[in-house]
Amino acid sequence: MYRVASPSEYLVITGIGIDDIKLAKKAWILPGQSYIIFDMSPVNYTFEVQAMSSEKLPFMLPAVFTIGPRIDDTASLHKYAKLISRHDKLSSHVKELVQGIIEGETRVLAASMTMEEVFKGTKEFKQEVFEKVQLELNQFGLLIYNANVKQLVDVPGHEYFSYLGQKTQMEAANQAKVDVAEARKKGEIGSKEREGLTLQNAAKIDAETKIYATKREGEGKMAEIKVKAEVKVYENVREAEVAEANAELAKKKAGWAKEAQVAEVEAAKAVALRDAELQTQVERMNALTRTEKLKAEFLSKASVEYETKVQEANWDLYNKQKAAEAILYQREKEAEAQKAIAEAEFYARQQVADGEFYAKKKEAEGLIALGQAQGAYLRNLLDAVGGNYAAMRDFMMINNGMFQEIAKINAEAVRGLQPKISIWTNGGVEGGDGGSNGAMKEVAGVYKMLPPLFKTVHEQTGILPPAWMGTLPNSGSNN
């Protein structure tokens, strides 16, 4: 049997082949399986929750909640399908369940708040109730789509909000009366202040007008006296100026007459003086002419001699400069040649040094390679003899001819010594079984060994023993 749910519904299937439940919009219903269809559209629940504040004041909280299954969460749909779906959403069972959760959370929250906090913070109170109720509804797979908390209402017999409204009205009325009285007081005071200010301003203006008129009258009289004084002063000044002008005119006339007479005398003297000056100038010019002529003659001669000497000096200077330039050029070329030679020698030395460095480097690399090879050889040899260092050392000495070298060195050391061999006898073997005789025999043997030892030392080195120890025989007989 094939079943299809409407857009706002779900199929809940249980039975054979299904461990728990199966939610689907459409499905085949097999034999041994059962199903129900539940509606997912939200439902409005209206409540009047009775609660009490922290001051023990009861109140009614009308609220409307829009609640339905959480359709965006599969786990919540499974919870709703298993716990709620078999009941009608409008049934008393579901309504009592939702109402119990809302009333419980609202009463707990209201008990922790004062009436003033509940009344003034309606928005915060609504949000707190919304969050706490949602936490409880999550376990049933339900979601609050909307919550609307209406105005708080008094419980019969406890008219808190009515008294609060009356108090607010009385406070408003009393405040209005106070405001009216205050406005009336301000109006009367303002009116009186305006009248006083008007009288004060009028008196002030009258006084200022009188002061200004008196001041202007005094200024007029002062100006008149001043003008009269200035006119009198001007007249006196003009009279003094006229008298001064007359005196100045007489003085100037006398001066002019004096100057005219002096001018006539000066003109006559000036003519005579000018004549003498002109005569003197003529004579001076004649002398200057003769002097200049002589100077020109001497100057021409001196100029010719100067030019000749200058040319000679320039020629000598030119020759010396050319000689110096030649010497400088020669020294520069010599310096360049020496520089080239030094660079060539430096390059040759550098090449030799590079060659020596390369040879030393290759020699060092060869020594390193030889040392590495010898090390590997010694390690292999040591492994071959089983780690016996003495056996490896003997083999290396034999292999490298070390014993032959030692024998050769020893032979070279004793070559030319020409050793002399002396045979001494102690006169036969003396026997004795006693302990004292054996000890004396050992002491006697030591003393018998000294003469041949001293003789051998004398023959090899030429050194004689001290006189207190004895003297050696001159012959080579044995004693």
Side-chain angles (χ1 to χ4, degrees), residues 60 154-159:
M60 298 291 291
D154 288 324
V155 176
H158 299 82
E159 289 78 12

Coordinates of all heavy atoms in Angstrom, one line a residue, residues 60 154-159:
M60 N -2.1 38.4 37.2 CA -2.4 37.6 36.0 C -1.6 38.0 34.8 O -1.5 39.2 34.5 CB -3.9 37.7 35.7 CG -4.8 37.3 36.9 SD -4.8 35.5 37.2 CE -5.5 34.9 35.7
D154 N -4.8 42.6 37.3 CA -4.9 42.3 38.7 C -5.7 41.1 39.0 O -6.6 40.7 38.2 CB -5.6 43.5 39.4 CG -4.7 44.7 39.5 OD1 -3.5 44.5 39.7 OD2 -5.2 45.8 39.4
V155 N -5.3 40.4 40.1 CA -6.2 39.2 40.6 C -7.3 39.8 41.4 O -7.1 40.8 42.2 CB -5.3 38.3 41.4 CG1 -6.1 37.2 42.0 CG2 -4.1 37.7 40.5
P156 N -8.5 39.3 41.3 CA -9.6 39.8 42.1 C -9.2 39.8 43.6 O -8.8 38.8 44.1 CB -10.7 38.9 41.8 CG -10.4 38.3 40.4 CD -9.0 38.3 40.3
G157 N -9.4 41.0 44.2 CA -9.1 41.1 45.6 C -7.7 41.7 45.8 O -7.4 42.1 47.0
H158 N -6.9 41.8 44.8 CA -5.6 42.4 44.8 C -5.4 43.4 43.7 O -5.0 43.0 42.6 CB -4.5 41.3 44.8 CG -4.5 40.3 45.9 ND1 -5.4 39.2 45.9 CD2 -3.9 40.3 47.1 CE1 -5.2 38.6 47.0 NE2 -4.3 39.2 47.8
E159 N -6.0 44.6 43.9 CA -6.0 45.6 42.8 C -4.7 46.5 42.8 O -4.7 47.7 43.0 CB -7.2 46.5 43.0 CG -8.5 45.9 42.7 CD -9.0 45.0 43.8 OE1 -8.4 45.1 44.9 OE2 -9.9 44.2 43.6

